[in-house]
């Protein structure tokens, strides 16, 4: 295969360590494109022990990490805090601090923006930031609850006085499920006009699942399976599993 | 003179050209003897037409020439002169020159337009390419992140399976829960050990239990789904509630997937998934759990066997007390349980400081019998609540006393010291004096490990000796 010639004919020279560096090097013609493909596909899982501190630092340096990566990174950094090597422990503590400070700065910016330009979009962004901050606090239940409450307040108002739009609904359900306010989640979904909306039906099934109303989950999934609604791969698996009477 | 812009009306240009010709004609009016500037080397009319041809193209050049000819004819008529003999040659030369310059100009204009079009096209392509590169870079970053966080990778599974080979039951159970969380997405899961002699299942390890309000750590093996799984050696999945009425009656909302854990031929306990995301509850997750349990079975079986062998062999033949490893394993299980129950526990370490002295006088076996008697005294004083183990040296005993806080432990220690000192210890009518020192630690609100708790008790013991 042509791709393997790259390894056979490789000469000593610049070897980019990361996929991003390899991509830049390909752009300048310093290394062949195979180097980028190889580097991209060979990234080591973050939480594989022994931990690769350079890799962790590199991922930590990214300004826009998504929630899943942030949660994983924090769990790895928390493991590092327990290290006997003081430098590694300090690196872990600083990393956690950096991760949380970054989120807090974003929250502060959005709060300021809310004062000058209050609106649904900014409100939703702020609530999303609080929700993600809560998800980062998996090990500390009280802090997590605090941020979930902040997320709820940002989205729905102090006493739920704000009217939620359709775009607010998924986040509102995420927050209510995380706070285990399943009855409220059900009531919120019941107020949605468009009962044929696939996403709303999936949310209903999800809330029913957490409430232990499995007959309702099965019914919703059968209806969704019968309608052949276009959904993601994960949801498709869950729907077909519940819709299948024999499984 | 401005170059012709595309889209400018031809009539406006024609008017402009006429104006230029008239302007030259006005100047020509003041040269009455030379209408059309036909005499001499320099002819402004021809020059104007050439400039027009270069700037606007050959057709405008011809038009300018035409206008100039009309103006010159007008001037000649006005002055009453005839130019028919002198005009044809310069006019013919001007026509040829305008034509040639016009062709050259058109050719250059075409080339220029093509170059501009190429530049626009290249610029557009470059912009498009930049956007594509940015999108690819973002996609690469996302893919790279996905690879970096591949929690459910085979290498991760392999690492956890390796832990199962450590013969440490606590670690092995932790590894099973870790795999369940990673590969199935369980946010709350636990392992329960079946105790047939007590007809119950006891909580031995859990993940995600800190956040939950459920504090039950013992379940009956009758009338519960966990018990049903043990008795039938069958997997329970919450979807079964839709079609199985007896199971639906037993359901308390605690079980989503419950799997038996086998050790050899017997069912050792169950793995229970209590919470997981809706989207992750599917056939794949069920099969994944079966794979995890199949991979874990050999290692777990060895760890359970090792644990029971250690449990049996580590009984001191003289005192009948279990050894330190047993204490450590028991303490870890107790701590895991207490984290769920939010209960308290005290650890006491007693040391018979003059054990060697007593052994020298009465013999080693008799000295060890004093240790046994102290242990019995502890159990009597605690009304059977405390469990006594050997600690790190032969002269030390460790006591696990559940539901006892720091104040209670302090009081119990004083009582023990008083009882040891007030008891008349005798060997064959010969009086013996036992010197006992004591240190203790109680589980505080903060999360403490077994090591931390033992170390705290040991530190206090060392301080008593000073």
């Amino acid at each position: 295969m042509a791709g393997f010639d790259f390894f056979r004919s490789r000469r000593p020279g610049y070897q980019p360590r990361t996929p991003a560096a390899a991509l830049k090097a390909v752009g300048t013609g310093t290394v062949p494109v195979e180097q980028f493909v190889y580097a991209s596909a060979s990234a080591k899982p973050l939480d594989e022990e022994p931990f690769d501190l350079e890799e962790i630092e590199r991922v930590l340096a990214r300004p826009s990490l998504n929630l899943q990566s942030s949660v994983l990174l924090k769990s790895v950094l928390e493991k590092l805090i327990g290290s006997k090597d003081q430098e590694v422990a300090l690196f872990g503590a600083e990393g956690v601090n950096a991760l949380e400070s970054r989120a807090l700065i974003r929250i502060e910016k959005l709060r300021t923006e809310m004062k000058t330009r209050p609106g649904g979009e900014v409100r939703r962004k702020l609530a999303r930031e609080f929700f993600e901050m809560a998800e980062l606090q998996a090990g500390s239940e009280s802090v997590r609850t605090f941020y979930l409450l902040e997320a709820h307040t940002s989205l729905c108002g102090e006493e739920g006085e704000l009217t939620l739009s359709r775009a607010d609904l998924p986040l509102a359900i995420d927050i209510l499920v995380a706070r285990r306010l399943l009855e409220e989640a059900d009531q919120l979904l019941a107020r949605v006009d468009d009962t044929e909306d696939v996403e709303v039906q999936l949310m209903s099934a999800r809330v029913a699942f957490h409430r232990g109303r499995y007959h309702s989950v099965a019914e919703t999934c059968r209806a969704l399976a019968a309608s052949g609604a276009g959904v993601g791969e994960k949801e498709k698996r869950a729907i077909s599993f519940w819709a299948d009477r024999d499984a | 003179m401005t170059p012709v812009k595309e889209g400018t009306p031809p009539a406006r240009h024609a008017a402009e050209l006429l104006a230029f010709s008239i302007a030259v004609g006005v100047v020509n009016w003041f040269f009455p003897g030379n209408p059309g500037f036909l005499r001499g080397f320099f002819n402004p009319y021809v020059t104007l037409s050439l400039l027009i041809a270069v700037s606007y193209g050959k057709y405008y050049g011809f038009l300018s020439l035409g206008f100039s000819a009309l103006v010159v004819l007008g001037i000649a008529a006005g002055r009453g002169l005839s130019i028919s003999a002198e005009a044809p040659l310069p006019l013919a030369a001007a026509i040829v020159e305008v034509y040639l310059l016009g062709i050259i100009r058109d050719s250059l204009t075409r080339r220029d337009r093509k170059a501009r079009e190429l530049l626009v096209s290249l610029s557009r392509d470059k912009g498009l390419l930049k956007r594509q590169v940015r999108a690819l870079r973002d996609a690469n970053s996302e893919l790279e992140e996905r690879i970096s966080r591949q929690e459910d990778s085979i290498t991760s599974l392999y690492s956890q399976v390796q832990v199962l080979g450590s013969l440490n039951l606590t670690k092995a159970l932790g590894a099973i829960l870790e795999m369940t969380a990673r590969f199935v997405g369980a946010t709350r899961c636990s392992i329960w050990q079946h105790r047939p002699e007590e007809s119950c299942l006891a909580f031995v390890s859990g993940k995600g239990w800190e956040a939950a309000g459920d504090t039950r750590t013992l379940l009956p093996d009758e009338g519960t789904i966990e018990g049903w799984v043990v008795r039938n050696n069958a997997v329970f999945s919450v979807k079964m509630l839709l079609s199985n009425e007896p199971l639906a009656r037993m359901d308390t909302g605690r079980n989503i997937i419950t799997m038996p854990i086998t050790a050899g031929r017997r069912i050792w306990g169950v793995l229970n998934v209590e919470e997981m995301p809706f989207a992750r509850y599917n056939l794949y997750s069920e099969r994944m759990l079966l794979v995890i349990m199949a991979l874990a079975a050999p290692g777990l079986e060895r760890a359970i066997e090792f644990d029971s062998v250690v449990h049996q062999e580590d009984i001191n033949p003289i005192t009948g007390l279990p050894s330190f490893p047993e204490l450590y394993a028991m303490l870890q299980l107790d701590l895991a349980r207490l984290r769920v129950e939010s209960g308290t526990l005290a650890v006491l370490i007693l040391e018979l400081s003059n054990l060697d002295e007593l052994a020298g006088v009465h013999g080693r076996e008799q000295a060890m019998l004093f240790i046994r008697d102290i242990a019995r005294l502890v159990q009597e004083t605690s009304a059977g609540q405390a469990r006594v183990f050997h600690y790190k040296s032969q002269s030390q005993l460790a006591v696990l006393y559940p539901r006892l806080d720091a104040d209670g432990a302090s009081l119990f220690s004083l009582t023990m010291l008083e009882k040891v000192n007030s008891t008349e210890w005798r060997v064959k009518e010969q009086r013996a004096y036992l010197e006992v020192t004591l240190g203790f630690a109680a589980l505080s609100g903060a999360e403490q490990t077994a090591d931390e708790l033992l170390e705290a008790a040991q530190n206090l013991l060392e301080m008593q000796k000073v």
Side-chain angles (χ1 to χ4, degrees):
Chain A
M1 282 176 75
F4 292 105
D5 292 342
F6 152 69
F7 293 102
R8 294 192 183 102
S9 62
R10 196 158 57 162
R11 301 278 176 271
Y14 172 59
Q15 296 294 319
R17 285 179 59 83
T18 64
L23 186 61
K24 271 187 188 168
V26 169
T28 57
T30 319
V31 296
V33 75
E34 284 86 352
Q35 177 84 52
F36 166 63
V37 174
Y38 177 68
S40 295
S42 306
K44 188 186 159 195
L46 264 189
D47 61 342
E48 194 174 296
E49 293 187 48
F51 296 120
D52 183 345
L53 294 187
E54 273 187 37
E55 175 72 8
I56 292 169
E57 195 173 8
R58 195 175 65 76
V59 175
L60 182 65
R62 281 190 197 155
S64 55
L65 279 173
N66 62 26
L67 178 61
Q68 283 166 296
S69 300
S70 300
V71 169
L72 177 71
L73 189 58
K74 197 184 170 197
S75 75
V76 171
L77 290 168
E78 278 175 343
K79 281 182 195 166
L80 291 181
I81 291 175
S83 168
K84 284 178 184 167
D85 185 332
Q86 288 187 349
E87 271 189 39
V88 174
L90 187 65
F91 171 77
E94 282 177 348
V96 170
N97 188 35
L99 210 58
E100 291 185 353
S101 311
R102 214 182 284 162
L104 287 172
I105 288 169
R106 284 200 299 269
I107 286 172
E108 275 313 307
K109 269 188 188 167
L110 285 167
R111 271 185 166 159
T112 316
E113 202 178 336
M114 268 293 278
K115 283 176 194 159
T116 55
R117 202 165 57 91
E121 183 70 27
V122 184
R123 192 161 50 88
R124 195 161 46 247
K125 273 187 190 168
L126 182 62
R128 168 66 61 191
E129 285 292 344
F130 273 126
F131 177 70
E132 293 194 354
M133 192 67 179
E135 291 301 292
L136 267 184
Q137 312 297 330
S140 171
E141 195 52 27
S142 52
V143 183
R144 181 172 179 267
T145 308
F146 167 77
Y147 282 118
L148 282 175
L149 199 63
E150 286 290 309
H152 196 177
T153 310
S154 306
L155 195 66
C156 309
E158 290 280 344
E159 287 165 11
E161 71 275 10
L162 297 173
T163 313
L164 294 179
S165 69
R166 171 64 184 80
D168 295 330
L169 197 60
L171 180 58
I173 295 298
D174 281 347
I175 294 169
L176 290 171
V177 169
R179 291 186 67 196
R180 294 170 203 274
L181 298 173
L182 301 172
E183 202 173 328
E184 280 188 30
D186 242 354
Q187 287 167 359
L188 183 63
L189 287 168
R191 289 204 294 270
V192 178
D193 297 330
D194 188 3
T195 49
E196 296 299 307
D197 189 326
V198 177
E199 202 185 359
V200 172
Q201 288 186 60
L202 272 172
M203 283 189 264
S204 296
R206 181 182 161 202
V207 173
F209 176 78
H210 288 294
R211 294 190 78 180
R213 298 183 173 177
Y214 304 117
H215 283 284
S216 168
V217 179
E219 264 174 41
T220 310
C221 288
R222 277 177 203 138
L224 281 168
S227 69
V231 288
E233 204 51 47
K234 265 188 194 172
E235 287 78 10
K236 214 177 270 176
R237 272 190 199 166
I239 289 170
S240 63
F241 180 60
W242 280 96
D244 183 4
R245 284 168 202 271
D246 305 322
Chain B
M1 201 174 289
T2 50
V4 176
K5 286 179 192 164
E6 281 175 27
T8 314
R12 198 177 136 193
H13 287 301
E16 273 176 21
L17 301 186
L18 184 60
F20 287 136
S21 296
I22 290 170
V24 177
V26 169
V27 175
N28 195 187
W29 185 260
F30 296 101
F31 294 87
N34 191 8
F37 297 113
L38 295 172
R39 288 173 220 140
F41 291 107
F42 177 70
N43 189 318
Y45 294 106
V46 174
T47 307
L48 175 67
S49 301
L50 294 181
L51 284 174
I52 296 292
V54 168
S55 304
Y56 292 4
K58 58 181 182 284
Y59 298 113
Y60 283 106
F62 289 135
L63 190 63
S64 172
L65 203 60
F67 285 146
S68 295
L70 287 174
V71 169
V72 171
L73 283 173
I75 291 170
R79 296 281 182 193
L81 299 169
S82 170
I83 52 167
S84 53
E86 295 160 288
L89 190 62
L91 186 63
I95 288 170
V96 172
E97 282 167 7
V98 164
Y99 181 72
L100 287 175
L101 282 174
I103 285 175
I104 293 167
R105 185 256 178 204
D106 289 349
S107 162
L108 286 174
T109 307
R110 264 200 307 276
R111 203 182 297 170
D112 180 50
R113 190 181 295 131
K114 271 186 187 169
R116 259 190 294 149
E117 281 171 3
L118 188 66
L119 205 63
V120 168
S121 160
L122 283 175
S123 168
R124 197 183 299 128
D125 287 352
K126 193 184 168 192
L128 200 66
L129 210 59
K130 266 188 180 174
R131 279 204 296 275
Q132 281 176 347
V133 167
R134 205 178 306 133
L136 277 173
R137 205 170 280 162
D138 289 348
N140 174 55
S141 170
E142 169 61 25
L143 287 173
E144 204 187 317
E145 243 174 63
R146 270 191 211 175
I147 295 173
S148 296
R149 64 163 190 265
Q150 47 180 307
E151 306 104 294
D152 51 356
S153 67
I154 296 293
T155 49
S156 164
L157 183 66
Y158 177 74
S159 311
Q160 295 297 331
V161 170
Q162 290 297 99
V163 175
L164 288 163
S166 67
L167 296 181
N168 180 328
L169 185 59
T170 311
K171 274 189 183 174
L173 297 179
I176 292 178
L177 292 174
E178 185 67 36
M179 284 191 275
T180 307
R182 281 192 183 194
F183 291 88
V184 182
T187 47
R188 188 168 173 233
C189 50
S190 55
I191 292 175
W192 300 72
Q193 183 186 6
H194 185 221
R195 293 180 180 167
E197 64 283 359
E198 296 166 42
S199 305
C200 72
L201 288 117
F203 174 90
V204 283
S205 194
K207 191 171 172 67
W209 272 60
E210 301 80 12
D214 195 350
T215 56
R216 291 184 70 185
T217 52
L218 280 177
L219 296 170
D221 62 5
E222 286 287 338
T224 56
I225 288 174
E226 287 86 348
W228 180 87
V229 169
V230 169
R231 283 195 309 278
N232 295 286
N233 189 16
V235 176
F236 167 81
S237 184
V238 77
K239 210 184 137 197
M240 290 162 74
L241 296 178
L242 300 178
S243 54
N244 191 320
E245 192 51 40
L247 279 175
R249 276 200 299 274
M250 282 190 258
D251 178 48
T252 55
R254 201 177 45 235
N255 314 69
I256 293 178
I257 302 175
T258 309
M259 305 202 86
I261 298 174
T262 51
R265 288 182 184 174
R266 72 184 180 99
I267 310 297
W268 179 84
V270 296
L271 164 70
N272 192 29
V273 176
E274 284 114 16
E275 272 180 20
M276 66 188 291
F278 169 61
R280 297 290 294 268
Y281 175 67
N282 51 42
L283 198 60
Y284 174 77
S285 293
E286 281 187 1
R287 289 191 177 154
M288 202 63 218
L289 262 185
L290 287 171
V291 168
I292 290 170
M293 294 314 293
L295 284 172
L300 190 62
E301 194 181 330
R302 280 198 299 277
I304 290 168
E305 271 175 22
F306 184 75
D307 191 63
S308 78
V309 168
V310 167
H311 184 79
Q312 282 166 10
E313 284 187 354
D314 273 16
I315 303 290
N316 188 295
I318 302 170
T319 61
L321 296 172
S323 66
F324 177 71
E326 178 71 2
L327 159 81
Y328 196 78
M330 195 58 79
L331 182 57
Q332 279 187 317
L333 287 177
D334 277 359
L335 288 177
R337 188 170 50 78
L338 287 168
R339 267 195 282 277
V340 174
E341 289 178 346
S342 304
T344 56
L345 170 90
V347 176
L348 294 93
I349 302 174
L350 291 101
E351 185 171 331
L352 184 57
S353 312
N354 59 339
L355 179 79
D356 290 338
E357 222 174 278
L358 290 167
V361 177
H362 306 290
R364 175 63 58 181
E365 192 174 336
Q366 182 55 52
M368 289 308 289
L369 286 174
F370 283 129
I371 296 276
R372 181 201 64 188
D373 293 342
I374 293 171
R376 283 181 182 170
L377 196 61
V378 169
Q379 275 162 340
E380 277 169 28
T381 313
S382 69
Q385 294 290 305
R387 283 163 294 166
V388 188
F389 304 81
H390 276 287
Y391 196 54
K392 289 176 183 171
S393 77
Q394 276 196 328
S395 63
Q396 292 177 325
L397 288 176
V399 180
L400 292 189
Y401 199 143
R403 292 179 289 281
L404 196 69
D405 61 7
D407 292 336
S410 170
L411 193 66
F412 182 75
S413 302
L414 289 172
T415 312
M416 274 309 303
L417 287 175
E418 190 200 332
K419 284 201 171 180
V420 170
N421 291 330
S422 61
T423 304
E424 275 196 17
W425 303 94
R426 288 184 177 278
V427 183
K428 295 172 188 168
E429 300 306 313
Q430 193 183 348
R431 183 80 191 264
Y433 294 94
L434 272 56
E435 289 171 19
V436 172
T437 45
L438 208 147
F440 67 87
L443 193 66
S444 63
E447 199 164 294
Q448 281 169 295
T449 62
D451 289 321
E452 285 166 352
L453 209 57
L454 291 172
E455 200 181 329
Q458 208 172 319
N459 286 344
L460 197 61
L461 178 75
E462 294 304 320
M463 282 163 68
Q464 303 300 314
K465 291 181 190 171
V466 178

